[in-house]
């Protein structure tokens, strides 16, 4: 096991000093223990703390040079490690814990690191909220209301707070996750999330034959082998004269025939003879070289060639039979999407129908009692459902058949019925909303009952919460509710899965590296997506700038953008003039 990585839930508390972090933890710990949760606390302290006392044996031995001092008795043990060069990182500290004896790690401090935290806030301290600056905050516990969509708890209601922490521990412990898939904060990276999903997607084998024109955009089911040579005959690539290469160097040749495309000269060509030939016409037997018309002067049935315009190379200007495609060679490979050239190529083989993968059927629905159908009068505190429309559009764009199941009311029964129907009808199920921490619990209950679903926190922005699993055997994605997060998670996770379901092998989204025209901020360790506009500048360089306001609910900036800017976890941010990855939106959304 890589010691810097753990699948244990990690939760921090973010607060200004004086808020009472330690007091709260001290009160909460017995309650967590009572709930059977085995907890470790990692606390960051100021630079020269010491728990060992001067004069004690352990202290003396340590001072004498023991870099690690392990002291043990019947009831407890302690390890004191000297780190004069460099402070230990959080992953190193986590690695020192006995992870098998734990259910939850609580962290005090390390506030600059990226892992889930609850913000503790007391009005009387008079300090600003932290959640607007720290997107790792998953909930707020305070004695006043905050302007946020995050779950809000009463900082004085210890039982509710404890329950929240306990639920978090339960929900985040996903024993099926391999340790190496998680970063030190206990989250999955974008690529790990995608890999896990793809490993669980099995491409169906069904196929159906359709006429050629209707196959546009669809996926070829089997290798299409060429029944013919393309070109069928060795033919001329130019309008000109066909001669024998063993007969070059004569002053003049006797023109024995003229061959138009679609016709042929059926006698073998003799020495001293030439055939006037058009582009595409088969070259006669024995002839293997064509001299272009511009180089020739024909007088009656005699032709001479002007060598000043270019030497004649044996074999020139001739296309060999089967040069493009030989009989039996795969013209189009299984798993290829049919675009204009493939359509033309299949037609060039003489085929007018093709076996394709049937379109992937995707059932979609929205969740949330606040979500309303467009066209209705807007109710108080409600929002119109936009996610089903974006999903519908993106799915149609990539050739899927959409089964729209509407908006599902917030009840266990409605959700269960919908999921059962969806699993029967569709090859894939997509829902939006309701998978983040703090959402109605019944969603998880129903998903647990009907299938095997993992609730993941992906180290990305936007789009952190993501549920993935199966209802019966049908793959299911629970996407976040935020409209931009829906588009981003669709592009990063759902489309690759659909491409695999479609039978495409190793599909990868195109991306480019562009020069940043402005500074782009990011948090190391996290993949950040912002909406961008890329293009070619006056110097011919591919450049990118961001497209307007970036709140994860703002669809308008998505509409103004032509790319997603992807800042990778290892990039601390992007300075003006530095390269950054851009993912074009054209043909994707
Ligand atoms: P949730 O993931 O359910 O917590 O939702 C996050 C945000 O997305 C909330 O502001 C929701 O109101 C919003 N949202 C959820 N579902 C939809 C939807 N179908 N269309 C537009 N916005 C939505
Ligand atoms: Mg919701």
């Amino acid at each position: 096991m890589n010691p810097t990585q753990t699948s244990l839930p990690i939760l921090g508390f973010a607060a200004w000093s004086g808020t009472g972090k330690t007091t709260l933890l001290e009160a909460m710990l017995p309650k967590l223990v009572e709930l059977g949760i085995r907890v470790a606390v990692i606390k960051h302290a100021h630079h020269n703390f010491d728990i060992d006392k001067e004069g004690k044996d352990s202290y003396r031995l340590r001072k004498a040079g023991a870099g690690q001092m392990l002291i043990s008795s019947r009831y407890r043990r302690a390890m004191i490690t000297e780190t004069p060069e460099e402070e230990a990182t959080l992953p190193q500290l986590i690695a020192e814990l006995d992870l098998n004896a734990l259910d939850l790690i609580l962290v005090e401090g390390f506030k600059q690191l990226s892992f889930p935290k609850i913000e503790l806030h007391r009005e009387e301290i008079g300090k600003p909220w932290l959640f607007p600056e720290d997107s790792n905050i998953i909930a707020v516990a305070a004695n006043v209301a905050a302007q946020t969509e995050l779950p809000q708890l009463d900082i004085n209601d210890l039982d509710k707070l404890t329950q929240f922490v306990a639920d978090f521990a339960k929900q985040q412990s996903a024993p099926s996750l391999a340790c190496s898939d998680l970063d030190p904060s206990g989250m999955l990276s974008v690529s790990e999330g995608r890999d896990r999903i793809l490993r669980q997607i099995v491409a169906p084998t069904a196929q159906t034959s359709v006429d050629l024109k209707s196959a546009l955009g669809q996926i070829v089911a089997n290798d299409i082998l060429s029944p013919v040579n393309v070109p069928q005959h060795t033919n001329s690539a130019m309008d000109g004269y066909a001669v024998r290469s063993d007969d070059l160097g004569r002053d003049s040749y006797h023109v024995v025939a003229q061959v138009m495309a679609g016709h042929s000269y059926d006698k073998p060509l003799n020495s001293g003879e030439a055939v006037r030939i058009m582009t595409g016409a088969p070259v006669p037997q024995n002839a293997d070289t064509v001299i272009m018309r511009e180089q020739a002067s024909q007088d009656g049935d005699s032709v001479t060639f002007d060598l000043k315009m270019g030497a004649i190379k044996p074999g020139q200007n001739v296309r060999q039979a089967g040069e493009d495609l030989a009989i039996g060679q795969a013209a189009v490979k299984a798993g290829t999407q049919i675009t204009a050239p493939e359509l033309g190529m299949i037609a060039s083989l003489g085929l007018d129908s093709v076996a394709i993968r049937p379109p992937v059927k995707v059932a979609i629905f929205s969740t949330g009692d606040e979500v309303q159908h467009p066209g209705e009068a807007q109710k108080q505190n409600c929002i119109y459902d936009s996610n089903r429309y974006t999903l519908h559009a993106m799915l149609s764009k990539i050739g899927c058949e959409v089964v729209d199941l509407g908006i599902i009311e917030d009840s266990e029964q409605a959700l269960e019925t919908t999921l059962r129907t969806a699993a029967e009808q569709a090859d894939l199920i997509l829902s939006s909303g309701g998978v983040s921490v703090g959402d109605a619990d019944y969603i998880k209950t129903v998903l647990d009952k009907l299938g095997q679903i993992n609730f993941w926190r992906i180290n990305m922005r936007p789009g952190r919460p993501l549920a993935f699993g199966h209802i019966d055997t049908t793959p299911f994605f629970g996407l976040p509710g935020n409209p931009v997060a829906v588009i981003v998670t669709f592009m990063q996770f759902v489309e690759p899965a659909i491409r695999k379901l479609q039978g495409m092998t190793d599909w990868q989204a195109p991306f480019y590296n562009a020069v940043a025209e402005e500074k782009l901020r990011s948090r190391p360790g996290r993949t950040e997506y912002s909406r961008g506009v890329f293009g070619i500048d006056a110097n011919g360089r591919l450049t990118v700038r961001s497209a307007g306001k970036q709140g994860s609910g703002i669809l308008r900036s998505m509409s103004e953008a032509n790319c997603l800017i992807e800042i990778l976890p290892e990039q601390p941010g992007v300075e003006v003039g530095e390269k950054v990855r851009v993912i074009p939106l054209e043909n994707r959304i």
Side-chain angles (χ1 to χ4, degrees):
M1 178 185 151
N2 178 341
T4 64
Q5 289 160 339
T6 172
S7 59
L8 276 181
I10 300 171
L11 184 62
F13 292 88
W16 294 98
S17 64
T19 314
K21 257 188 292 185
T22 305
T23 310
L24 180 81
L25 273 181
E26 190 184 10
M28 185 185 287
L29 278 162
K31 292 183 179 283
L32 290 171
V33 172
E34 207 171 288
L35 290 169
I37 298 173
R38 300 165 302 167
V39 188
V41 177
I42 299 179
K43 182 184 167 77
H44 191 259
H46 33 83
H47 62 276
N48 201 19
F49 87 98
D50 201 343
I51 57 163
D52 214 4
K53 286 207 186 76
E54 204 168 340
K56 292 277 177 196
D57 290 358
S58 55
Y59 186 93
R60 288 167 56 200
L61 296 171
R62 187 156 59 89
K63 289 293 165 188
Q68 296 185 22
M69 176 69 224
L70 188 53
I71 176 164
S72 175
S73 74
R74 162 69 189 78
Y75 292 105
R76 65 193 57 87
R77 64 174 185 261
M79 165 78 121
I80 304 160
T81 307
E82 293 293 316
T83 56
E85 265 86 50
E86 204 168 25
E87 185 174 348
T89 63
L90 183 58
Q92 284 168 340
L93 296 173
I94 290 171
E96 301 214 348
L97 298 171
D98 178 1
L99 300 176
N100 291 322
L102 288 174
D103 302 303
L104 173 66
I105 303 170
L106 295 177
V107 178
E108 242 198 272
F110 298 98
K111 60 172 180 281
Q112 72 285 5
L113 294 186
S114 169
F115 58 92
K117 295 162 202 166
I118 297 176
E119 172 168 7
L120 305 179
H121 178 98
R122 285 189 191 276
E123 189 63 358
E124 59 275 19
I125 304 290
K127 291 285 193 179
W129 293 98
L130 299 168
F131 66 82
E133 301 300 321
D134 186 349
S135 61
N136 292 299
I137 290 173
I138 56 163
V140 171
N143 57 357
V144 282
Q147 287 289 317
T148 174
E149 283 168 6
L150 291 171
Q152 300 200 31
L153 299 148
D154 180 349
I155 193 170
N156 295 318
D157 189 340
L158 187 61
D159 284 335
K160 283 242 173 64
L161 256 168
T162 306
Q163 196 54 51
F164 186 90
V165 172
D167 287 347
F168 174 86
K170 206 168 123 214
Q171 185 204 318
Q172 294 293 308
S173 61
S176 60
L177 292 184
C179 298
S180 63
D181 287 353
L182 296 162
D183 69 12
S185 60
M187 292 195 232
L188 277 179
S189 71
V190 171
S191 57
E192 280 297 346
R194 188 164 42 225
D195 288 350
R196 302 196 120 256
I197 289 166
L198 290 179
R199 269 182 250 142
Q200 294 183 52
I201 296 280
V202 185
T205 50
Q207 48 181 274
T208 167
S209 181
V210 294
D211 78 274
L212 196 48
K213 278 188 190 156
S214 353
L216 183 64
Q218 300 300 324
I219 312 299
V220 174
N222 311 308
D223 284 357
I224 300 179
L225 305 182
S226 179
V228 290
N229 274 324
V230 180
Q232 192 180 9
H233 301 287
T234 300
N235 66 74
S236 176
M238 290 273 187
D239 288 352
Y241 294 82
V243 296
R244 297 165 55 134
S245 59
D246 60 3
D247 196 26
L248 294 176
R250 285 177 186 276
D251 290 339
S252 71
Y253 296 79
H254 179 217
V255 181
V256 291
Q258 168 161 314
V259 188
M260 311 296 281
H263 297 266
S264 60
Y265 175 68
D266 294 329
K267 284 185 239 163
L269 197 72
N270 296 313
S271 284
E273 292 177 350
V275 161
R276 185 157 183 216
I277 197 166
M278 300 299 150
T279 306
V283 298
Q285 198 184 325
N286 295 343
D288 58 2
T289 301
V290 171
I291 303 144
M292 61 178 179
R293 196 173 53 191
E294 291 76 358
Q295 243 175 307
S297 322
Q298 189 173 344
D299 183 11
D301 57 3
S302 170
V303 65
T304 56
F305 301 112
D306 180 359
L307 298 184
K308 287 201 289 294
M309 287 178 71
I312 300 162
K313 284 188 232 107
Q316 69 178 24
N317 300 332
V318 167
R319 293 191 290 228
Q320 299 298 324
E323 184 179 291
D324 293 348
L325 264 180
I327 292 180
Q329 199 183 330
V332 184
K333 289 239 189 264
T336 309
Q337 184 167 31
I338 301 178
T339 62
E342 288 80 20
L343 210 59
M345 185 147 52
I346 297 167
S348 78
L349 304 179
L351 305 172
D352 66 351
S353 69
V354 56
I356 55 158
R357 296 270 169 229
V360 174
K361 236 182 184 187
V362 184
I364 57 173
F365 62 88
S366 300
T367 64
D369 270 351
E370 81 276 26
V371 183
Q372 234 192 307
H373 285 281
E376 291 174 353
Q378 189 158 28
K379 295 186 214 131
Q380 274 241 305
N381 307 321
C382 284
I383 50 157
Y384 287 118
D385 182 3
S386 60
N387 291 341
R388 248 175 340 116
Y389 293 82
T390 18
L391 285 174
H392 190 283
M394 292 187 289
L395 289 165
S396 309
K397 182 128 202 161
I398 59 173
C400 296
E401 202 178 292
V402 182
V403 183
D404 188 343
L405 299 174
I407 302 168
I408 305 310
E409 69 172 82
D410 274 344
S411 86
E412 210 166 310
Q413 189 53 49
L415 185 65
E416 187 173 333
T417 314
T418 307
L419 283 170
R420 284 192 196 280
T421 316
E424 270 167 33
Q425 292 187 359
D427 304 313
L428 178 76
I429 307 168
L430 297 182
S431 74
S432 74
V435 290
S436 43
V437 177
D439 266 304
D441 268 345
Y442 72 89
I443 296 191
K444 283 147 203 158
T445 316
V446 174
L447 289 172
D448 273 344
K449 181 167 155 194
L450 298 187
Q452 283 195 308
I453 311 290
N454 287 305
F455 292 89
W456 288 333
R457 295 177 63 254
I458 309 274
N459 205 349
M460 68 187 286
R461 195 168 84 155
R464 219 157 24 150
L466 180 75
F468 175 76
H470 286 81
I471 307 285
D472 292 334
T473 55
T474 311
F476 165 86
F477 281 92
L479 303 179
N482 270 316
V484 172
V486 165
I487 297 181
V488 173
T489 48
F490 183 93
M491 289 175 64
Q492 296 307 320
F493 304 107
V494 183
E495 186 175 357
I498 290 178
R499 294 308 192 180
K500 189 163 178 193
L501 281 175
Q502 287 177 325
M504 290 176 89
T505 36
D506 299 327
W507 179 85
Q508 284 202 333
F511 65 85
Y512 306 106
N513 288 319
V515 176
E517 279 183 345
E518 59 196 30
K519 190 180 164 89
L520 302 164
R521 283 174 212 287
S522 176
R523 178 195 299 282
R526 177 160 81 186
T527 311
E528 299 229 6
Y529 296 93
S530 49
R531 280 73 84 198
V533 178
F534 78 118
I536 305 285
D537 73 1
N539 299 319
R541 295 181 315 171
L542 191 67
T543 57
V544 66
R545 63 179 168 81
S546 84
K549 279 177 89 178
Q550 299 283 336
S552 60
I554 303 173
L555 274 180
R556 177 206 263 259
S557 68
M558 196 84 208
S559 147
E560 287 165 359
N562 65 3
C563 68
L564 284 183
I565 302 172
E566 182 181 50
I567 306 181
L568 301 171
E570 59 272 23
Q571 273 181 301
V574 182
E575 297 297 326
V576 176
E578 277 181 4
K579 289 271 177 76
V580 66
R581 186 179 280 199
V582 297
I583 302 170
L585 294 175
E586 197 178 352
N587 289 325
R588 306 257 341 251
I589 65 168

